[in-house]
Amino acid sequence: MNSDLATALKTIVGEAGYLEGDAVGEKYYSDWRGQGDFRPNIVLRPASTEELSEIMKCCHAAGQAVVAQGGMTGLVAAARPHQNELPISFERMTGIDELDARTGTMTVQSGTPLQVIHEYAEANGFIYPLDLGARGSCTIGGNLATNAGGNRVIRFGMTRDLVLGVEAVLADGTIVSSLNKLIKNNTGYDLKQLFIGSEGTLGLITKAVLRLSPKPKSQAVAFCAAPDFDAVAKFLHHMKSGLGGNLSAFEVIWQNTYQVTIDNVPGVKAPLSQEHAYYILTETMGGDQSRDQERFEAVLGEALEAGLIVDAVISKSQAEIDDLWRVRDALAEAMASQQPAVGFDVSLLIDDMEYFADEVTRRMTAVWSDACVYIGGHLGDGNLHLGAKAGSLDPHPKEEIDAIVYGLVGELNGSVSAEHGIGMLKRAYLSSSRNLAELALMKKLKQALDPGEILSPGRIFTPNDI
Ligand code: ZN
């Protein structure tokens, strides 16, 4: 970066907002998948939307590329800086501007950690239903930029469904303030959706109006075993119709994955024995503790009688709820214990899942006889997480494994990314899930909003390549 630009940027953000040299710690070039290739010389930490706007005016004029950084918990290497990119950290743009109890909304700054939002909402009788394992570290700006999913999408939707308005800074520094609180607002294009899920490539989100839900008065969890996949699919339908809107989770773990979880993750108590084909964590949340618990037990009883499940443990206390969720939450650690393995986050129709699981394993073992595939995830949303391992080969054949898994996802018209995004790591497979007309429209949007390609260049796609 030339010294005139550096001086201008330092003047905008001041000493506290400008890190250089040794002050640039590892956290500005590493994420949850590991360390990046380039240690940046300078990191900017603006304190306000106005400062960010001034930064972008300068960068736009100079053709300086930037990359937005939240909690660095992403899984597709979108926020790690590339050579000559300027990281912009939102760590000083934190805080809750307002909780409006009458409209059930909360206006927050984008660097605010998700857990802080959870705690503030709960202290005021609400929940913000977006929840994921990274809650203590991830920021709401990153959640929006990636359209994060998580455990309760079946009930409340993805991040996209939980946001009413955003404020963002465009590549040229223009501030677009669209902090709408209305549920219904059909006055032209829904501009916030341009930024949500764009992984920092169309604008930098600075604030958001979040849609809260009243804090549920009841919660109960069951951990169940099913004999075959047909029973799992029927059990999902049964729980949806039996609980109506109260069904808040339907998570499934394949048998071998359950075994690895119980055997390898410390602190996990096995709720059920290990001989069943599928394990399901399901949850109800509602407005009346005793009636909801009674209804939950009755619906589960019907499923047992019909043979959709063959065994079940039902929570009777908050401690038991936490223990059962701990088994599901340990899935990521269980897959990590099987390194080297390649992780996947795919979406499929439920009707294709059994074939997909069997066929991935068949294609993997045809090439590597000791290959293993671990599967679990948000089955109620059509979203599976996989860990695929070609024995203990070193180096591990990641590209061949990617080709097998994504090839099959493409054949089944699924999505190569259900909730993690594309970033840098899935670019080669974007076209497995998007057709040519869709890709061309994405390119037009990118060129219209960021003609100089200075916002997270190369993430998701490079316009010249499509
Ligand atoms: Zn997930």
Side-chain angles (χ1 to χ4, degrees):
M1 184 188 301
N2 71 52
S3 62
D4 287 354
L5 178 60
T7 307
L9 294 171
K10 197 170 190 172
T11 307
I12 294 166
V13 293
E15 289 288 332
Y18 192 90
L19 304 178
E20 62 184 325
D22 291 344
V24 175
E26 197 183 321
K27 68 171 180 173
Y28 300 105
Y29 56 99
S30 303
D31 61 24
W32 276 21
R33 282 241 195 265
Q35 209 177 77
D37 295 329
F38 299 102
R39 182 174 193 270
N41 297 323
I42 297 168
V43 172
L44 298 185
R45 308 189 311 144
S48 67
T49 304
E50 291 69 28
E51 282 187 15
L52 181 61
S53 166
E54 293 305 314
I55 290 170
M56 291 314 300
K57 283 177 192 166
C58 287
C59 290
H60 188 249
Q64 171 64 50
V66 304
V67 57
Q69 297 189 337
M72 300 302 277
T73 60
L75 297 170
V76 290
R80 289 183 201 162
H82 298 175
Q83 196 167 18
N84 300 325
E85 280 181 5
L86 177 64
I88 296 178
S89 168
F90 285 83
E91 61 195 344
R92 291 174 73 220
M93 291 174 65
T94 66
I96 290 150
D97 287 358
E98 180 201 46
L99 187 147
D100 182 341
R102 288 172 78 96
T103 58
T105 61
M106 197 163 155
T107 306
V108 298
Q109 298 188 43
S110 65
T112 312
L114 180 59
Q115 189 160 335
V116 170
I117 291 168
H118 283 172
E119 286 164 7
Y120 196 85
E122 284 196 37
N124 287 278
F126 290 93
I127 57 166
Y128 181 59
L130 174 69
D131 192 26
L132 53 151
R135 65 185 76 78
S137 311
C138 65
T139 62
I140 192 70
N143 297 146
L144 263 68
T146 56
N147 184 31
N151 290 334
R152 299 211 166 85
V153 173
I154 193 170
R155 167 86 167 265
F156 299 100
M158 300 278 280
T159 298
R160 217 177 262 302
D161 305 305
L162 298 168
V163 178
L164 292 172
V166 300
E167 177 187 81
V169 174
L170 301 183
D172 65 2
T174 305
I175 299 170
V176 179
S177 189
S178 185
L179 294 171
N180 166 72
K181 286 185 181 177
L182 304 171
I183 306 274
K184 292 185 162 184
N185 186 352
N186 271 352
T187 49
Y189 304 143
D190 191 350
L191 297 174
K192 66 178 181 289
Q193 300 296 359
L194 277 178
F195 306 110
I196 300 172
S198 77
E199 302 187 42
T201 63
L202 297 181
L204 304 173
I205 297 167
T206 51
K207 289 187 182 189
V209 180
L210 307 179
R211 187 175 186 176
L212 306 176
S213 289
K215 191 173 167 180
K217 295 191 175 73
S218 78
Q219 182 187 15
V221 170
F223 200 86
C224 313
D228 54 52
F229 195 84
D230 187 48
V232 174
K234 285 183 177 146
F235 183 42
L236 171 60
H237 182 75
H238 175 77
M239 295 306 283
K240 275 184 178 170
S241 65
L243 294 179
N246 280 5
L247 178 66
S248 54
F250 193 91
E251 303 279 317
V252 176
I253 307 174
W254 267 241
Q255 181 183 33
N256 64 334
T257 314
Y258 180 68
Q259 285 171 345
V260 165
T261 306
I262 299 305
D263 294 345
N264 290 280
V265 183
V268 174
K269 296 176 207 157
L272 297 173
S273 60
Q274 299 187 18
E275 78 269 19
H276 304 291
Y278 298 92
Y279 295 84
I280 300 120
L281 181 147
T282 184
E283 182 187 67
T284 180
M285 283 180 166
D288 185 314
Q289 183 62 51
S290 62
R291 265 194 240 169
D292 293 338
Q293 181 92 21
E294 213 174 280
R295 179 77 196 136
F296 192 49
E297 290 178 12
V299 174
L300 288 164
E302 291 162 13
L304 262 173
E305 241 168 69
L308 306 182
I309 53 175
V310 289
D311 203 355
V313 177
I314 304 173
S315 67
K316 297 275 188 240
S317 65
Q318 188 60 47
E320 288 176 14
I321 290 173
D322 295 345
D323 280 348
L324 296 178
W325 266 113
R326 173 82 185 114
V327 183
R328 164 60 187 92
D329 285 342
L331 211 61
E333 292 154 83
M335 291 193 190
S337 76
Q338 297 306 300
Q339 292 303 326
V342 187
F344 294 93
D345 157 46
V346 303
S347 267
L348 294 158
L349 295 179
I350 194 163
D351 280 350
D352 292 327
M353 283 184 185
E354 186 180 20
Y355 168 77
F356 172 80
D358 293 346
E359 186 64 10
V360 162
T361 308
R362 196 190 65 73
R363 292 185 191 183
M364 290 277 297
T365 49
V367 185
W368 307 282
S369 57
D370 54 350
C372 284
V373 181
Y374 302 97
I375 306 181
H378 322 289
L379 189 131
D381 317 324
N383 176 192
L384 298 180
H385 293 310
L386 275 73
K389 180 179 176 177
S392 49
L393 283 181
D394 187 25
H396 203 241
K398 180 182 182 312
E399 275 157 32
E400 287 102 310
I401 297 174
D402 277 354
I404 289 174
V405 175
Y406 290 139
L408 187 54
V409 170
E411 287 168 33
L412 296 171
N413 294 317
S415 168
V416 298
S417 179
E419 54 181 8
H420 296 167
I422 296 292
M424 292 305 295
L425 301 186
K426 298 187 189 173
R427 287 162 39 108
Y429 294 96
L430 180 62
S431 59
S432 304
S433 301
R434 295 293 198 159
N435 62 41
L436 288 176
E438 287 178 311
L439 293 170
L441 181 54
M442 286 194 205
K443 178 175 167 176
K444 266 190 198 164
L445 283 170
K446 174 69 176 172
Q447 287 171 331
L449 271 82
D450 181 21
E453 289 180 48
I454 60 167
L455 294 176
S456 291
R459 278 70 167 187
I460 308 178
F461 60 87
T462 301
N464 277 342
D465 292 349
I466 58 175

